[in-house]
Amino acid sequence: SGYPKDNFLTVNLTALKLRLQGKNDLKTELHKLYNAEVIEGIQATWRVITFFAFFPIVWGIYDMSGSEWVLEAQHLNLKFLGFTFEKEQVQAFNPILILIFIPMTLWIFKKLKNRGKVITANQKILVGFILVGLATGIEGLLMHIVDMNNEIQPSVGWQILAIFLLTHGEVV
């Protein structure tokens, strides 16, 4: 009686204990204690946890784009492609790009599927993470330049590129 001994926490603590005891073949040792279905379920749970572990990072970066990036724009050259932007206007690219990217992305995936090249959800998420990572890198470099030297005013085009990549990563 009592609580079930084959729950996620107990099995993982048992695996940790076995590892600390120097047992190298954890799978065999765990199969002696738990049935295969329990072990497979816990392994699947860890795959899901690992897969989704990066989502808070992505959303944290995405949430910064509405506030921190506006403050950063104060230090940028807001003239780009013949237009002069207000620092708050740059954020308007996100909803505009969403309206462009959603149908475009769906069309591209449909064309790929018709050609026999199916893109899985995991592949789409990986591409999204890569695009968000590139956007973050651009923003980090841009902020570093702004922080290091007040004489240099980088173009707002760099921030627009970061928004382009971030939005595309969001849509994919």
Side-chain angles (χ1 to χ4, degrees), residues 84-104:
T84 302
F85 295 98
E86 295 294 324
K87 62 183 182 212
E88 297 85 4
Q89 289 177 318
V90 178
Q91 299 308 308
F93 280 99
N94 180 264
I96 293 167
L97 290 172
I98 287 173
L99 293 173
I100 294 168
F101 286 159
I102 288 176
M104 182 183 76

Side-chain angles (χ1 to χ4, degrees), residues 108-165:
I108 290 170
F109 287 143
K110 183 178 178 183
K111 289 292 183 188
L112 288 171
K113 185 178 180 182
N114 290 342
R115 293 183 180 172
K117 297 179 182 178
V118 177
I119 308 298
T120 66
N122 288 352
Q123 291 169 329
K124 292 175 186 176
I125 290 171
L126 178 63
V127 169
F129 280 145
I130 291 169
L131 292 172
V132 169
L134 290 172
T136 304
I138 290 169
E139 271 304 308
L141 183 60
L142 194 57
M143 200 63 219
H144 179 71
I145 292 169
V146 166
D147 287 344
M148 294 300 292
N149 190 344
N150 287 334
E151 295 174 19
I152 297 175
Q153 271 196 313
S155 171
V156 73
W158 289 106
Q159 196 173 64
I160 292 169
L161 175 61
I163 291 169
F164 178 91
L165 293 170

